[in-house]
Amino acid sequence: MPFDAFVTGAVETSLNTLLKDDAESQRRLGRLRGKVISVTINEFGKTLIFIFSQQIDVLAVYEGEVDCELALNLTVLPELRQQANLTQLIKADKLALEGDIQLAQQFSALLSGLKPDVEEKLSQYTGDIVAHTLVSGLKTGAQRIRQGAKRRQRDLAEVITEEWKLAPQALEIAHFADQVDDLKSDVARFEARLDQLLGRR
């Protein structure tokens, strides 16, 4: 099976499975019915075409006309789920958009509503108690990893600023900023006084 066909098939199956279980997402899909959106992932130079009808069809190649074109980096993809982020992403040059921005917002709203209930799916195979225990354990583990990463980051920042003196501390930066503000005020007063003196002559 060619790689493109594998990727489009996997994306299509995943999206339609999530859509099937959620009436609210079906309503959001209705707004996009008959529309075509292309999403280009910059790192791979690959484009996925999303065709909206009763379901979502995902293609790698499409001959017809596209209503909205998006180009973005893979790291931006999770942010696309937040509809409010679209204009910020465009302004920050993290997202290139051609076509109807409203379609892009509706697509973002559709994606944000697709939240898989992993515990529910897992319980069909393992039972409720085992599924709940596994999912809770994974969430706790992920939280500990995040906390550990934050702690390591904080420790590294302390070593860099206090022990190795490679970067200034927060108070030093604030003091420097205050000095810069004072200097700006002094220069402004000096310029005003100079203009006044030159104006008299």
Side-chain angles (χ1 to χ4, degrees), residues 42 56 94 130 159 172 188 198:
N42 295 331
I56 302 174
K94 292 182 177 180
V130 173
V159 167
E172 290 174 316
L198 291 174

Side-chain angles (χ1 to χ4, degrees), residues 120-140:
E120 175 65 31
K121 295 285 182 198
L122 193 58
S123 71
Q124 295 172 3
Y125 302 103
T126 62
D128 290 342
I129 295 171
V130 173
H132 178 71
T133 305
L134 278 172
V135 171
S136 296
L138 286 171
K139 284 179 181 174
T140 304

